[in-house]
Amino acid sequence: MTPSDLIGMYFIQQVSDMTGLSKQVIRKWEERYKLVQPKRLENGYRIYSQVDINSLLSVKTLSGQGHAVKRAVELTKERNMLLDAVQDTYQSIQHQEVLNDYVFQLLEKGSHCDELELSLVLQQAYHSFGLADFLASVIVPFLNEVGNKWNRKEWSEYQEAVSSLVVRDFLVQIRRNYQCREDAPLVVGACLPYERHEIPLHILLLQFMMKGWKTILVGASPAPGSIEALVEKLKPTKVLLSATTTIPFENDPDLLKKLDQFAAANKQIDFYLGGIGALDYAKSKTLQAIHVTSSIEDTLR
């Protein structure tokens, strides 16, 4: 097997780092259920393909949802057969379920908290995909996997933090170097006070920039009142408010009411509120002027 044949192939330790499965479990699923069929090098080492890794991740996810491993393997094999039969249609429907080589590399580097290698892989993926596909096919799936590993306690706080910070810094660099027209409409993205997760806003603002907008970000946990002051000064066309947790509303029960009143007093500006925490909190609230949405398309109109 030549070096070119090894592109997109991984040793079992790398697969273990990416999936969070032990080498013993990987071998067990290979031998007992014939889930994957790794190739062998001349020295006997197993090497796994991207398809193998996606299959392992699929069984892991399904078993975590309550399926027996045997049934999870059957469902995964059925999915793979469907993918082979109608690949283009399937990928358009289930785009985020099939991870690519760059995501696998990021998971491996993230497991070792290797900031330099994470940055290099991000740079390679960005130049390979272009911005739109880079966000959809690399950044979002990688962050989803990081969140899953954190929630399942497979990754430490440090592994999650390093991976997230490297992604955030890379997206900041892209935004700083992105050219926009001087007369372009302005959108302001703002984390709510006490909200520290700003990466979703970076992604959303980059999508706005691709549509020809100028953007300004009010970062993590801004001081109370700073969002209103900035909006009054800049008079943007749109304001995007984000909260991935309900902490902002717990710390300030009147926060949403005050922001809604401010939005009502600035009817020439479209205000949007999104994020898992915001959606959960606002579902029982009646708002005058703020649009609560989970759809990027709604805000881009």
Side-chain angles (χ1 to χ4, degrees), residues 1-10 39 47-50 101-102 105:
M1 185 172 287
T2 65
S4 61
D5 295 327
L6 295 177
I7 297 174
M9 306 297 289
Y10 304 91
K39 296 180 180 180
I47 53 171
Y48 297 80
S49 69
Q50 295 180 38
D101 180 58
Y102 289 112
Q105 291 184 54

Side-chain angles (χ1 to χ4, degrees), residues 75 84 185 202 274:
L75 291 170
D84 290 338
H202 283 292

Side-chain angles (χ1 to χ4, degrees), residues 171-191:
L171 297 180
V172 168
Q173 181 181 355
I174 295 175
R175 286 189 56 243
R176 285 175 177 167
N177 294 321
Y178 206 98
Q179 299 297 315
C180 297
R181 300 191 327 269
E182 281 300 318
D183 60 347
L186 175 64
V187 56
V188 170
C191 292

Side-chain angles (χ1 to χ4, degrees), residues 20-260:
L21 297 168
S22 69
K23 291 186 285 187
Q24 291 77 12
V25 168
I26 294 170
R27 292 192 187 100
K28 177 180 177 181
W29 288 359
E30 171 192 339
E31 295 165 1
R32 179 175 296 182
Y33 302 108
K34 310 301 180 184
L35 173 63
V36 294
Q37 297 179 330
K39 296 180 180 180
R40 295 268 188 166
L41 299 179
E42 293 180 359
N43 56 14
Y45 288 162
R46 294 172 169 87
I47 53 171
Y48 297 80
S49 69
Q50 295 180 38
V51 173
D52 291 333
I53 300 171
N54 273 300
S55 294
L56 291 164
L57 286 170
S58 175
V59 171
K60 179 182 178 180
T61 298
L62 289 168
S63 61
Q65 294 171 350
H67 293 281
V69 172
K70 182 179 179 180
R71 179 55 180 159
V73 170
E74 292 171 352
L75 291 170
T76 295
K77 289 181 177 179
E78 290 172 7
R79 187 203 70 162
N80 290 344
M81 291 176 63
L82 176 62
L83 180 58
D84 290 338
V86 287
Q87 186 167 2
D88 291 340
T89 302
Y90 186 86
Q91 285 182 332
S92 67
I93 296 172
Q94 301 287 351
H95 182 69
Q96 298 302 337
E97 287 192 6
V98 182
L99 304 182
N100 58 63
D101 180 58
Y102 289 112
V103 178
F104 295 145
Q105 291 184 54
L106 290 169
L107 289 171
E108 180 192 2
K109 307 308 180 187
S111 70
H112 296 293
C113 300
D114 193 330
E115 296 183 43
L116 177 58
E117 288 295 326
L118 280 166
S119 297
L120 290 174
V121 174
L122 287 171
Q123 190 173 60
Q124 292 167 0
Y126 176 46
H127 290 299
S128 175
F129 277 95
L131 182 54
D133 287 341
F134 172 67
L135 295 174
S137 300
V138 179
I139 293 298
V140 172
F142 174 56
L143 291 175
N144 285 340
E145 285 300 313
V146 170
N148 290 337
K149 289 180 178 296
W150 164 250
N151 289 330
R152 293 193 296 256
K153 302 186 185 304
E154 294 174 8
W155 272 19
S156 68
E157 182 176 352
Y158 186 61
Q159 289 171 306
E160 185 273 339
V162 167
S163 297
S164 298
L165 287 173
V166 171
V167 169
R168 185 202 67 183
D169 291 346
F170 193 82
L171 297 180
V172 168
Q173 181 181 355
I174 295 175
R175 286 189 56 243
R176 285 175 177 167
N177 294 321
Y178 206 98
Q179 299 297 315
C180 297
R181 300 191 327 269
E182 281 300 318
D183 60 347
L186 175 64
V187 56
V188 170
C191 292
L192 294 184
Y194 313 107
E195 171 59 51
R196 299 190 175 278
H197 297 85
E198 64 182 81
I199 292 180
L201 277 175
H202 283 292
I203 295 172
L204 185 52
L205 291 180
L206 280 168
Q207 291 170 321
F208 265 88
M209 295 176 85
M210 286 187 284
K211 295 288 187 179
W213 290 70
K214 289 193 297 186
T215 67
I216 287 181
L217 174 67
V218 182
S221 192
S226 60
I227 296 172
E228 295 92 328
L230 185 63
V231 170
E232 287 183 337
K233 179 180 179 180
L234 298 177
K235 301 297 182 184
T237 303
K238 295 179 186 285
V239 176
L240 314 177
L241 306 170
S242 176
T244 61
T245 70
T246 58
I247 293 174
F249 312 108
E250 294 165 4
N251 287 347
D252 184 355
D254 293 327
L255 175 61
L256 187 54
K257 180 180 178 181
K258 290 183 290 188
L259 287 170
D260 191 42

